[in-house]
Amino acid sequence: MTANTASARDQRGDSAALQRAHDALVAGAGYLIERAAQPCGAGAIMPNVRLRRSGNCLNELDRFLSVMIGECARLAGIVEAGVPIDDAEDMPRRIDNARRLRRIEKHCGVETGATNRLRAIARIRNLACGDSLQRPGVWLERDMAVATAGAVAIVAHPTQAPEISDLALAVMAEFYVSIADRLLAFFARA
């Protein structure tokens, strides 16, 4: 490796950091996928607590994806090494991973169609974490259908807080893994 190649690599980021971000996302998602496979019972957890717990799980998946997208942005040369991704001039803030992913895809000439599903998951996450007003059931049902690719995911009664099943979380976790796998595969070739 020449000095110029090493210098360019230092400015653009490193693939080991991308691999670590991928591994962290897969491990976090794996926990949710395994939990859905376990026999379960409602236990003594109140529905609003289960909803908040689901929101926190989705929040963590989104954070993992945000880190991975940041590493991809560095490898693509969109963000220089050492510059926090949120301070980059041409990248949206972390709270909008759908736009961040679209920006990476556009830069790399790849289209996955994942942004609509990420937006639906973000709306569900915001509702579950109490960061948005509860929307009418039909909107929530639509977002759940998009977020889980149609898997049975929500039990809602007009007078009760909605619940997000472990199966729904597992389906969404698998979706995050699929995004991570595609990004890793693309940047491993680049």
Side-chain angles (χ1 to χ4, degrees):
M1 181 184 304
T2 67
N4 288 343
T5 306
S7 176
R9 190 165 202 57
D10 290 342
Q11 291 299 313
R12 295 183 73 182
D14 80 62
S15 56
L18 178 65
Q19 183 67 54
R20 285 190 302 273
H22 176 271
D23 293 347
L25 189 150
V26 169
Y31 168 77
L32 295 175
I33 294 165
E34 287 175 26
R35 189 172 76 185
Q38 301 298 320
C40 62
I45 300 174
M46 300 299 294
N48 59 341
V49 174
R50 280 193 295 266
L51 182 64
R52 181 65 186 212
R53 182 187 67 189
S54 297
N56 289 339
C57 291
L58 293 174
N59 226 357
E60 288 305 308
L61 285 176
D62 211 52
R63 279 192 248 275
F64 289 136
L65 181 60
S66 180
V67 170
M68 187 155 186
I69 288 173
E71 294 305 326
C72 292
R74 285 181 181 80
L75 286 169
I78 297 170
V79 177
E80 290 183 27
V83 173
I85 187 88
D86 283 338
D87 293 340
E89 201 171 295
D90 199 23
M91 287 297 284
R93 306 296 284 175
R94 186 199 76 81
I95 58 173
D96 195 353
N97 272 339
R99 281 186 54 209
R100 283 179 154 193
L101 181 62
R102 189 175 69 223
R103 173 72 177 92
I104 294 290
E105 289 176 342
K106 182 179 175 185
H107 180 81
C108 298
V110 176
E111 179 61 43
T112 64
T115 55
N116 287 339
R117 197 166 170 190
L118 278 176
R119 288 186 196 289
I121 291 171
R123 287 188 295 269
I124 293 164
R125 182 186 69 240
N126 290 340
L127 169 75
C129 290
D131 295 335
S132 71
L133 297 174
Q134 187 167 349
R135 300 175 83 183
V138 92
W139 288 96
L140 186 57
E141 288 174 18
R142 184 204 64 188
D143 282 343
M144 286 301 291
V146 171
T148 62
V152 176
I154 192 161
V155 176
H157 186 275
T159 60
Q160 296 176 335
E163 288 188 41
I164 301 171
S165 70
D166 285 344
L167 174 62
L169 286 174
V171 169
M172 289 184 261
E174 289 169 351
F175 170 65
Y176 275 84
V177 170
S178 73
I179 293 171
D181 288 347
R182 283 193 303 266
L183 289 171
L184 183 66
F186 179 83
F187 283 98
R189 287 191 313 257

